[in-house]
């Protein structure tokens, strides 16, 4: 059997990604805590509750785990509603708390990547229209200024907004996220405001910290025409790709939001990315469906022979990772894989998913595309939004009742990758032998 190691460039960032509402616990002042109170919104009526109790101090033990497992970076997010609990109030104690956590990362030898907005909005903001309102971009920039002032001593890598495309799609088109609307036109308005918010945040960050690197984390979804011979499938897959994947990075490149049938100019957004963050999980197959206008007339599904995750939420489709990076490379920016992972409570699939996706990142690195790091989603099982606790994405398992953590085998595989700065045939033999011949053809 061939023996080899796929090495990554020196200084490559290896980490995990987390988000405030999903790990902190005790968030009661944002739109998601209100959403969790509404019947029927969250799987089995579950709540984020104590989450992983990071706000209570368990971030320490989890970051210890990450550092001991060879991770040299961590991506976390800040909770706007903690830092600015009311329009006229800034909470210095919350900022201090975040300083302690981010300093804790640096002390553990991990480069912090800080997300300023990861799906949640303060309740007071929601009450005045949230991102539907023209006023929100400036309010966001004011919050970003405060946060960056407080943390700039320790952090210089910033994601302004996580997955603005998922925020818009899930909140304003499919309605699974708050505010639960189904209105494409409103979605376009929200997208334009998110672009304005990003542009103002980008300017605020650079005004405070000249060497900062700022960008977004985009959810890249592959859309594969279901029937290659049917032009309509290709057409709707192309429309979904343009609306879901392209609108934001294009707007941050040339200041134009291209909604295909209409365009909005936000000139100040041009050239406001220092890197492009790519969150990749899976690819969809798309078939023309005349009765689904909100889906751009496409029905999305996984093929019958797909390698599906625990609840069927994701298909293990590593080629899509390469495709995502090839597409992202087209923007001519440094790239970071800001999320990639799979829900898999018994860790039956995760080792091969991890090995296969890291292998695809390595392939892309070998084209000399400027890929700077990989952040696995996620460190410990955490609150999965409308899916509650039904999906387990952690390298460590969490017992939500007792807060006990238990390491999954994938954590050891990922530790080996991080320590070696590469993926070896010995690792694959040990943790994911079923894909050995696929990754190391003889
Ligand atoms: C989001 C995370 C989420 C993950 C898995 C990503 O789209 O950024 O917050 O937990 O998907 O569902």
């Amino acid at each position: 059997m061939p023996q080899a190691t796929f090495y990554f460039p020196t200084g490559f960032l290896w980490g995990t990604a987390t988000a405030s509402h999903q790990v902190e616990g005790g968030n009661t002042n944002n739109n998601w805590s209100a959403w969790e109170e509404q019947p029927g919104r969250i799987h089995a009526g579950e709540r984020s509750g104590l989450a992983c109790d990071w706000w209570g101090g368990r971030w320490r033990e989890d970051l210890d785990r990450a550092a001991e497992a060879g991770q040299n970076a961590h991506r976390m997010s800040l909770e706007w509603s903690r830092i600015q609990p009311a329009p006229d109030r800034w909470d210095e104690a919350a900022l201090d708390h975040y300083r302690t956590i981010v300093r804790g990362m640096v002390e553990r030898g991990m480069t912090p990547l800080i997300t300023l907005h990861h799906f949640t909005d303060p309740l007071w903001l929601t009450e005045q229209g949230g991102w539907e309102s023209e006023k929100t971009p400036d309010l966001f920039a004011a919050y970003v200024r405060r946060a960056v002032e407080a943390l700039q001593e320790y952090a210089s890598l910033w994601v302004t907004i996580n997955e603005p495309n998922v925020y818009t799609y899930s909140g304003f088109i499919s309605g699974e996220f708050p505010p639960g609307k189904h209105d494409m036109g409103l979605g376009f308005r929200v997208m334009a405001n998110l672009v304005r918010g990003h542009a103002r945040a980008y300017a605020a960050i650079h005004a405070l910290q000249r060497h900062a690197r700022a960008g977004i984390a985009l959810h890249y979804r592959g859309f594969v025409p279901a029937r290659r011979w049917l032009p309509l499938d290709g057409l709707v897959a192309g429309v979904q790709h343009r609306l879901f994947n392209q609108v934001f990075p294009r707007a941050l490149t040339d200041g134009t939001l291209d909604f295909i049938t209409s365009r909005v100019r936000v000139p100040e957004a041009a050239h406001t990315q220092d890197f492009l963050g790519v969150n990749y999980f899976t690819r969809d197959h798309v078939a023309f469906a005349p009765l689904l206008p909100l889906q751009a007339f496409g029905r999305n599904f996984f093929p019958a022979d797909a390698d599906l995750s625990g609840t069927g939420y994701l298909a293990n489709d590593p080629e899509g990772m390469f495709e995502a990076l090839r597409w992202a490379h087209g923007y001519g920016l440094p790239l970071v894989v800001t999320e990639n992972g799979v829900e898999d409570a018994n860790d039956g699939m995760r080792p091969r998913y991890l090995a296969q996706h890291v292998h695809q990142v390595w392939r892309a690195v070998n084209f000399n595309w400027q890929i700077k790091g990989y952040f696995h989603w996620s460190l410990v099982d955490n609150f999965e939004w409308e899916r509650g606790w039904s999906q387990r994405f952690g390298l460590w398992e969490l017992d939500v009742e007792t807060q006990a953590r238990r390491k999954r085998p994938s954590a050891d595989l990922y530790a080996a990758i991080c320590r070696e700065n590469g993926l070896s045939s010995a690792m694959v033999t040990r943790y994911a032998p079923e894909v050995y011949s696929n990754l190391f053809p003889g």
Side-chain angles (χ1 to χ4, degrees):
M1 295 212 299
Q3 304 288 307
T5 301
F6 302 136
Y7 284 109
F8 283 73
T10 310
F12 196 80
L13 298 177
W14 292 104
T16 47
T18 56
S20 56
H21 191 73
Q22 296 180 268
V23 297
E24 284 179 356
N27 274 308
T28 53
N29 194 21
N30 66 24
N31 57 338
W32 268 89
S33 49
W35 191 244
E36 289 165 35
E37 299 288 322
Q38 294 182 20
R41 296 301 192 186
I42 314 289
H43 166 85
E46 289 166 346
R47 307 273 164 102
S48 52
L50 211 53
C52 308
D53 196 23
W54 272 32
W55 200 253
R58 284 182 212 264
W59 62 270
R60 287 193 179 80
E61 53 168 293
D62 286 337
L63 290 186
D64 284 346
R65 286 185 178 93
E68 281 159 20
Q71 297 174 29
N72 62 13
H74 184 76
R75 174 176 173 225
M76 64 169 265
S77 84
L78 310 179
E79 184 57 42
W80 183 353
S81 64
R82 286 195 192 272
I83 293 173
Q84 190 178 10
D88 55 354
R89 199 148 58 81
W90 301 94
D91 187 333
E92 294 300 330
L95 283 167
D96 272 351
H97 197 89
Y98 281 125
R99 275 171 67 85
T100 308
I101 301 177
V102 178
R103 189 176 62 228
M105 268 178 223
V106 175
E107 286 165 355
R108 286 166 177 78
M110 294 192 283
T111 300
L113 170 53
I114 308 295
T115 306
L116 293 150
H117 185 280
H118 195 124
F119 294 161
T120 50
D121 294 310
L123 266 182
W124 60 262
L125 187 85
T126 306
E127 281 157 13
Q128 55 185 63
W131 288 93
E132 293 171 49
S133 160
E134 304 278 303
K135 297 198 180 108
T136 294
D138 282 333
L139 296 169
F140 179 59
Y143 145 71
V144 167
R145 217 167 283 126
R146 284 283 181 143
V148 173
E149 263 165 12
L151 299 175
Q152 60 180 339
E153 189 180 344
Y154 304 112
S156 59
L157 278 175
W158 310 93
V159 163
T160 54
I161 303 177
N162 177 70
E163 300 190 342
N165 52 346
V166 169
Y167 179 91
T168 312
Y169 176 77
S170 304
F172 297 87
I173 293 169
S174 75
E176 286 155 335
F177 280 16
K181 298 189 176 171
H182 309 274
D183 182 337
M184 189 89 101
L186 194 56
F188 289 167
R189 186 155 104 209
V190 167
M191 284 165 115
N193 283 334
L194 287 163
V195 165
R196 293 182 185 105
H198 163 86
R200 279 164 221 186
Y202 181 89
I205 292 167
H206 278 280
L208 286 165
Q209 196 183 41
R210 290 178 59 188
H211 63 285
R213 316 292 292 156
I216 57 167
L218 184 87
H219 187 112
Y220 181 92
R221 190 99 176 180
F223 299 109
V224 183
R227 295 157 293 189
R228 301 239 171 224
W229 49 268
L230 191 70
L232 277 172
D233 287 1
L235 186 74
V236 292
V239 169
Q240 289 190 353
H241 170 68
R242 285 178 65 181
L243 291 177
F244 191 77
N245 295 324
Q246 304 251 99
V247 170
F248 283 95
R250 154 106 195 252
L252 309 190
T253 304
D254 68 5
T256 303
L257 286 104
D258 179 3
F259 299 129
I260 303 178
T261 50
S262 65
R263 286 181 171 196
V264 175
R265 289 279 301 148
V266 181
E268 74 269 24
H271 313 301
T272 57
Q273 307 183 90
D274 304 316
F275 66 88
L276 177 55
V278 176
N279 295 355
Y280 171 79
F281 289 86
T282 196
R283 257 191 318 200
D284 286 344
H285 285 231
V286 186
F288 173 62
L291 300 179
L292 296 178
L294 286 174
Q295 295 276 115
F297 301 105
R299 185 175 64 82
N300 296 44
F301 61 96
F302 299 128
D305 61 351
D307 184 16
L308 290 184
S309 65
T311 69
Y313 183 69
L314 298 173
N316 175 20
D317 191 347
E319 285 285 331
M321 168 65 94
F322 185 79
E323 176 204 306
L325 293 171
R326 183 175 47 206
W327 166 84
H329 170 69
Y331 286 90
L333 294 163
L335 305 177
V336 180
V337 178
T338 32
E339 286 180 30
N340 169 245
V342 64
E343 49 104 9
D344 182 19
N346 65 23
D347 214 42
M349 176 202 274
R350 190 178 288 101
R352 72 172 169 274
Y353 182 101
L354 176 59
Q356 289 176 288
H357 285 75
V358 166
H359 170 241
Q360 294 294 337
V361 178
W362 173 83
R363 279 185 63 210
V365 163
N366 277 278
F367 282 86
N368 243 340
W369 302 344
Q370 294 302 300
I371 302 167
K372 303 296 185 188
Y374 171 91
F375 291 81
H376 191 76
W377 185 274
S378 184
L379 180 53
V380 180
D381 288 342
N382 56 51
F383 181 71
E384 273 302 327
W385 309 113
E386 83 286 3
R387 285 149 278 136
W389 293 98
S390 67
Q391 296 186 348
R392 302 304 182 115
F393 278 83
L395 294 174
W396 271 263
E397 177 184 329
L398 175 74
D399 181 325
V400 185
E401 297 305 315
T402 65
Q403 283 294 321
R405 275 79 168 147
R406 206 174 65 197
K407 191 166 66 169
R408 295 193 168 105
S410 292
D412 287 329
L413 167 58
Y414 192 49
I417 294 170
C418 297
R419 290 200 186 101
E420 189 69 19
N421 195 28
L423 174 72
S424 71
S425 46
M427 295 173 200
V428 175
T429 306
R430 177 157 177 202
Y431 294 100
E434 70 276 22
V435 294
Y436 186 93
S437 56
N438 171 257
L439 299 193
F440 300 93

